Amino acid sequence: MKPYKRIFTIVIDSMGIGAARDAADYQDSGCDTLGHIDEKMNTFQIPNLQKLGLANLKPLKHVAPVAEPIGYYTRMQEASCSKDTMTGHWEMMGLHITSPFKTFTDHGFPSELIEELEKRTGHKIIGNKAASGTEILDELAEEEIATGKMIVYTSADSVLQICGNEETFGLAELYRCCEIARELTMKEEWRVGRVIARPYIGKHKGEFKRTSNRHDYALKPFAPTVLNALKDQQYDVISVGKIKDIFDGEGISEAYKSKSSVHGMEQTIEIMDHDFNGLCFVNLVDFDALWGHRRNPIGYGEEIERFDEKLGTFLSKMKADDLLIITADHGNDPTYSGTDHTREDVPFLAYSPSHIGHGLLPVTDSFATIGATIADNFKVTMPKLGTSYLHRLK
């Protein structure tokens, strides 16, 4: 009999716990998302993460380790050669990415791509540079609204992002243009990991606000993942947040779109009332999108506190045959230079009410420990990457 009927894997998007061993190769020496947030906070109240063992794993200024944590904990090192969202999540589910997705951070997208996108969509393109999503709106949204031109921009990630005002550009038109962009960027020299629709509201600089109608058009995983293995064996694979987009729907049986990280946790808590058999895979993106990229450590810390409050409710509803795994997909140190992700180790926190033990686990050299543990539990095809920790969680 399998130990757990339901496994909940929650990704606190970008909550790294210190520079990876190869951080210098990514110009990220000294980065530490969680540690630097903790240093910037006047107080940092995360009692539920604390009792799971987070402060035992990662020394913190404002949060003391506990004598008897209820969880198992360790740090995971990324095996793949990148520090982006897709790489981190795909590795969790068993894929090893050896060639990074293409980025266009320094010079924008090539003129050939821009000209073809203009021709196919019928919109003149403005922007075409790496920029913050809020800054590009303040700079160019009034022009887009007035002229019907289309804002295209990128970031340090492998992404092509298109902005559209929901009232003047329209969601349907924004999604149509993004579908064309996804088709064009399947070409090898232009291939980005994601095309992202970035709808917004507002009419004037200073009042623009991005909405929850974002949609990601991701590449399909290049091989089956643990999600496919679960679904193929008739297990439930429930996604919350942008998980479905990250895997382009592959291996997902049911999906919930979230308006915020708090909403994502509320959805997950509601899902606990469902009698499912399998995996609930959750991404909480606000940590990264609202605070990490915008270099706001206080906002990030307060978001962790809001998560911790919802985590308390989650823990109180867990059943004996539930397993919770909390992790992150990369770092995004809000005190670091630039606005890029940072190459960091991430936490592995695991808890079930049925556990009689707790404590520190060996450091693992791949995020795929998560997928391997899940596959082992449900006795489905194990990924080639990653070592199961199922036997250690007792």
Side-chain angles (χ1 to χ4, degrees):
M1 181 178 292
K2 59 183 178 298
Y4 308 108
K5 181 179 179 181
R6 307 187 302 182
I7 296 180
F8 295 84
T9 298
I10 299 176
V11 181
I12 304 178
D13 199 308
S14 83
M15 198 185 77
I17 56 171
R21 62 191 185 281
D22 58 358
D25 296 340
Y26 295 80
Q27 292 75 53
D28 288 336
S29 297
C31 60
D32 184 353
T33 298
L34 182 60
H36 290 155
I37 289 168
D38 174 57
E39 289 174 1
K40 292 291 184 180
M41 299 288 285
N42 291 325
T43 62
F44 195 28
Q45 304 295 325
I46 50 171
N48 294 297
L49 286 167
Q50 181 182 26
K51 70 182 182 182
L52 287 175
L54 182 60
N56 295 65
L57 171 64
K58 167 72 179 176
L60 297 171
K61 177 180 177 182
H62 293 102
V63 185
V66 293
E68 294 291 332
I70 65 172
Y72 289 94
Y73 46 89
T74 189
R75 59 197 307 129
M76 297 194 299
Q77 300 171 337
E78 188 165 12
S80 298
C81 61
S82 188
K83 52 178 179 178
D84 63 33
T85 296
M86 285 179 59
T87 302
H89 284 79
W90 285 13
E91 182 168 309
M92 287 179 206
M93 293 299 124
L95 299 185
H96 186 197
I97 291 80
T98 58
S99 179
F101 299 114
K102 287 184 169 54
T103 58
F104 298 88
T105 309
D106 294 334
H107 305 293
F109 299 103
S111 58
E112 296 84 357
L113 171 56
I114 294 299
E115 289 167 5
E116 187 65 19
L117 189 55
E118 288 180 333
K119 177 182 176 182
R120 293 279 302 277
T121 63
H123 294 278
K124 184 71 176 177
I125 288 172
I126 53 177
N128 190 26
K129 61 182 179 180
S132 156
T134 52
E135 291 173 355
I136 201 83
L137 290 179
D138 280 342
E139 178 186 351
L140 296 174
E142 287 183 350
E143 180 180 354
E144 184 207 74
I145 292 168
T147 65
K149 295 177 182 178
M150 185 168 72
I151 301 170
V152 172
Y153 70 107
T154 188
S155 70
D157 285 346
S158 178
V159 294
L160 184 154
Q161 305 184 79
I162 302 178
C163 300
N165 186 286
E166 291 198 359
E167 296 177 310
T168 59
F169 199 92
L171 275 176
E173 178 64 5
L174 176 61
Y175 294 159
R176 182 187 76 87
C177 293
C178 287
E179 289 167 3
I180 293 169
R182 178 70 281 178
E183 179 186 343
L184 292 174
T185 54
M186 293 303 293
K187 191 174 181 180
E188 183 59 35
E189 60 265 37
W190 300 340
R191 186 170 294 180
V192 294
R194 288 177 293 161
V195 171
I196 306 178
R198 290 287 196 178
Y200 68 95
I201 55 175
K203 293 290 173 47
H204 303 288
K205 181 178 179 179
E207 67 180 37
F208 297 119
K209 183 179 180 181
R210 296 196 295 192
T211 75
S212 60
N213 290 317
R214 161 183 171 161
H215 185 68
D216 293 33
Y217 300 79
L219 293 173
K220 286 190 179 296
F222 57 82
T225 71
V226 173
L227 304 183
N228 298 104
L230 290 169
K231 187 179 179 184
D232 289 349
Q233 295 300 316
Q234 308 305 311
Y235 288 107
D236 298 303
V237 184
I238 303 170
S239 78
V240 177
K242 64 179 184 178
I243 295 294
K244 182 180 179 181
D245 289 339
I246 292 169
F247 290 87
D248 198 33
E250 289 293 304
I252 306 296
S253 58
E254 185 177 354
Y256 294 82
K257 189 174 182 179
S258 304
K259 298 176 182 178
S260 67
S261 289
V262 168
H263 182 226
M265 277 303 292
E266 291 171 346
Q267 291 172 306
T268 305
I269 290 166
E270 290 178 3
I271 290 167
M272 298 181 80
D273 294 328
H274 302 182
D275 186 27
F276 72 90
N277 187 9
L279 173 66
C280 179
F281 196 6
V282 182
N283 175 278
L284 305 175
V285 72
D286 286 353
F287 303 90
D288 186 52
L290 294 185
W291 314 117
H293 285 301
R294 299 184 191 180
R295 295 303 185 244
N296 186 336
I298 302 301
Y300 200 133
E302 291 172 346
E303 192 74 49
I304 296 174
E305 291 180 327
R306 288 189 286 272
F307 166 76
D308 192 85
E309 183 178 352
K310 295 297 181 183
L311 177 59
T313 303
F314 181 97
L315 293 172
S316 70
K317 294 186 65 172
M318 289 185 72
K319 298 178 180 179
D321 56 357
D322 288 342
L323 174 66
L324 168 65
I325 298 172
I326 296 175
T327 190
D329 52 344
H330 50 72
N332 197 347
D333 187 339
T335 71
Y336 215 68
S337 59
T339 61
D340 192 6
H341 294 156
T342 42
R343 177 77 169 183
E344 299 185 44
D345 293 346
V346 302
F348 175 94
L349 306 176
Y351 169 73
S352 172
S354 64
H355 288 168
I356 58 174
H358 59 81
L360 181 66
L361 299 172
V363 173
T364 173
D365 61 1
S366 170
F367 295 180
T369 291
I370 291 175
T373 300
I374 293 167
D376 192 8
N377 180 76
F378 292 106
K379 307 306 178 191
V380 300
T381 303
M382 291 286 286
K384 294 180 180 179
L385 186 67
T387 301
S388 171
Y389 274 8
L390 185 66
H391 64 290
R392 297 180 180 273
L393 305 178
K394 299 178 180 179

